């Protein structure tokens, strides 16, 4: 398997930036990983905070133990919804850019190696 495919698969299925680490493009790998994982960490933090908030309301009796009421609370837009949307886009774009750029850079390396083999 050539480096372009290996790098793009690593970035797609392991972690954003993993393909760049494989290609020894450490600065790009660190940047892509940091951006994507920052977005993911923020999303996970918000999800846990939201779950704690709802569970505290249930335990205090402010919210009845009814699935339809709980579902409504979970699905309503949080107060900081614009940041959640931004973090989602940072995560998705970081991942997609990581996959496509790993393929692009791997393809350039593959072409360079093929050219050197012909010489």
């Amino acid at each position: 398997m050539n480096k372009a495919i290996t790098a793009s698969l690593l970035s797609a299925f392991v972690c954003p930036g993993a393909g760049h680490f494989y290609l020894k493009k450490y600065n790009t790998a660190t940047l892509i990983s940091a951006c994507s994982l920052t977005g993911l960490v923020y999303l996970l933090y918000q999800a846990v905070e939201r779950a704690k908030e709802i569970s505290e309301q249930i335990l205090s009796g402010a919210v009845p133990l009814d699935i339809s009421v709980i579902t409504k609370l979970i699905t309503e837009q949080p107060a900081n919804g614009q940041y959640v949307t931004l973090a989602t886009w940072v995560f998705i774009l970081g991942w997609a850019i990581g996959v496509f750029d790993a393929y692009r850079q791997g393809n350039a390396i593959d072409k360079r190696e093929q050219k050197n083999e012909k010489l």
Side-chain angles (χ1 to χ4, degrees):
M1 191 176 325
N2 61 19
K3 289 187 179 201
I5 294 175
T6 304
S8 60
L9 288 175
L10 283 170
S11 285
F13 296 115
V14 175
C15 178
H20 289 85
F21 280 115
Y22 171 75
L23 296 172
K24 296 181 175 68
K25 306 287 184 182
Y26 300 116
N27 291 335
T28 306
T30 303
L31 179 66
I32 290 172
S33 295
C35 287
S36 293
L37 295 178
T38 299
L40 179 62
V41 166
Y42 182 79
L43 290 171
L44 291 173
Y45 174 78
Q46 290 300 316
V48 169
E49 288 299 312
R50 184 92 167 145
K52 285 197 304 191
E53 177 185 308
I54 292 171
S55 65
E56 287 172 1
Q57 289 177 356
I58 293 169
L59 291 174
S60 70
V63 173
L65 194 57
D66 181 19
I67 191 70
S68 62
V69 174
I70 296 170
T71 303
K72 182 180 175 197
L73 283 174
I74 292 171
T75 57
E76 71 184 21
Q77 183 76 9
N80 58 352
Q82 68 275 12
Y83 296 121
V84 171
T85 303
L86 178 64
T88 303
W89 279 110
V90 166
F91 175 66
I92 291 170
L93 288 175
W95 201 296
I97 289 169
V99 171
F100 293 121
D101 191 56
Y103 182 82
R104 183 186 64 81
Q105 290 191 13
N107 196 28
I109 292 171
D110 288 337
K111 285 180 182 178
R112 207 172 23 236
E113 287 177 355
Q114 287 176 353
K115 183 180 177 184
N116 289 339
E117 288 175 2
K118 289 181 183 178
L119 297 176

